[in-house]
Amino acid sequence: MPEDAPVNAGAVVWPGADSAYFTVREMQIKLHRWAGGDPSRRFGDLFNLVYDPAFLVHAWERVSTNRGARTPGVDKATAARIETWIGVEVFLGQIRDSLKSGGFRPVEVRQVMIPKANGKLRKLGIPTIADRVVQASLKAVLEPIFEADFKPCSYGFRPNRRAQDAISEIHLLASRPSNYHWVLECDIKACFDEISHAALMGRLRARIKDKRVCALVKAFLKSGVFTELGDRKDTLTGTPQGGLCAAAHNPPYEQCRVMRSAGLLALVTAPSAVERCA
């Protein structure tokens, strides 16, 4: 390169998947330690992490390797089509630029109805790949902070935890020396459909003071849905099942708090709970 050639100082260096993973993991460990060390701490200056190249690459890996990557949102784009037609780095660069400039706006989710075991239908919201990537990056930033607040009895939507782990604990508690005799199963009716946006944002702001992060979460909640009939509906309450933010910001420990306030010991497998009784 000639010595007088211009240098693009603003060029983004996109890390490989492994490098991105370790960079994100290192930051998550720090966030979790800070959150655990001060339960009253409110975190600011997080938005820059959401559009950090490592977080976006990590988010892309999460989204593109998920089996849902073959399912498009309202823009009909799949992960494979993005890789072939646009290129991952160009795609992520566009997302990063729109986040940095404040121009990013989530679009409506594509609503489909899937059958439940009881014969009823469940509403499933399918965001676009771009929205899924931003949600995954946002989740990677927020999850370690709220993980520090979760109770040991909470198993729903948590990393390295699942409902089967709660069942294993029930087996343990039903055996000697605990010898619990009753297991009561309950469910929060239409939890995802009817959860209050105001209450949800209030819980979020208890830990997050970065206004841009809060605005981004709210934008996803308010993005609306396109039904199978092609109608657009506003989302005044609830959060669509299918998007990453449904799990990330619907804290299952809230259910645990309700159980504990009633003097019960609860295992939470959000959005349902299992009470264990002597």
Side-chain angles (χ1 to χ4, degrees):
M1 178 184 294
E3 292 183 2
D4 58 348
V7 176
N8 184 2
V12 178
V13 178
W14 295 100
D18 290 341
S19 176
Y21 170 81
F22 287 112
T23 299
V24 170
R25 192 71 188 125
E26 182 179 0
M27 179 52 68
Q28 287 180 322
I29 291 171
K30 292 180 180 178
L31 291 170
H32 186 269
R33 183 173 67 246
W34 295 334
D38 183 0
S40 64
R41 177 170 179 171
R42 298 179 67 226
F43 288 78
D45 198 23
L46 294 176
F47 194 73
N48 62 313
L49 292 177
V50 178
Y51 62 76
D52 180 87
F55 275 78
L56 289 176
V57 169
H58 179 65
W60 168 260
E61 289 297 314
R62 290 289 306 275
V63 171
S64 64
T65 57
N66 186 284
R67 63 181 181 179
R70 295 174 292 178
T71 305
V74 295
D75 62 355
K76 303 188 184 303
T78 62
R81 176 176 291 187
I82 290 169
E83 290 175 335
T84 304
W85 288 14
I86 304 175
V88 175
E89 290 190 0
V90 173
F91 175 69
L92 294 181
Q94 293 172 349
I95 292 177
R96 185 173 187 271
D97 290 343
S98 64
L99 286 169
K100 284 187 67 176
S101 67
F104 178 82
R105 296 291 184 274
V107 300
E108 297 87 352
V109 300
R110 182 167 67 89
Q111 187 182 86
V112 296
M113 307 297 288
I114 58 174
K116 298 171 64 175
N118 60 7
K120 296 181 180 181
L121 295 176
R122 183 193 305 278
K123 297 176 183 177
L124 183 68
I126 305 174
T128 63
I129 295 293
D131 285 355
R132 276 179 254 179
V133 168
V134 176
Q135 287 187 18
S137 183
L138 187 61
K139 179 176 180 286
V141 174
L142 296 179
E143 186 172 64
I145 297 172
F146 287 95
E147 266 292 307
D149 297 333
F150 287 171
K151 304 296 183 182
C153 60
S154 174
Y155 289 87
F157 300 132
R158 297 184 64 185
N160 302 316
R161 285 182 168 228
R162 55 183 184 165
Q164 287 85 343
D165 297 324
I167 294 173
S168 296
E169 188 168 350
I170 290 173
H171 282 294
L172 176 64
L173 292 167
S175 306
R176 294 181 180 178
S178 298
N179 286 331
Y180 283 86
H181 301 299
W182 295 91
V183 176
L184 306 179
E185 183 180 6
C186 60
D187 182 71
I188 299 178
K189 182 180 179 181
C191 176
F192 286 101
D193 296 335
E194 298 179 5
I195 189 168
S196 166
H197 290 178
L200 198 58
M201 293 303 300
R203 294 300 183 194
L204 182 69
R205 293 189 182 102
R207 272 298 207 172
I208 309 300
K209 64 180 180 181
D210 189 319
K211 293 182 179 180
R212 292 178 298 174
V213 169
C214 292
L216 184 58
V217 172
K218 187 174 182 179
F220 277 116
L221 292 173
K222 299 293 186 183
S223 62
V225 299
F226 267 122
T227 69
E228 292 180 306
L229 298 177
D231 299 323
R232 187 194 183 282
K233 292 185 177 180
D234 292 331
T235 44
L236 303 178
T237 61
T239 178
Q241 294 190 59
L244 291 170
C245 281
H249 310 302
N250 187 10
Y253 66 83
E254 287 301 327
Q255 301 163 38
C256 186
R257 179 181 299 179
V258 173
M259 297 295 182
R260 287 182 182 277
S261 68
L264 301 172
L265 198 56
L267 299 176
V268 182
T269 56
S272 62
V274 177
E275 301 168 31
R276 56 196 191 196
C277 307

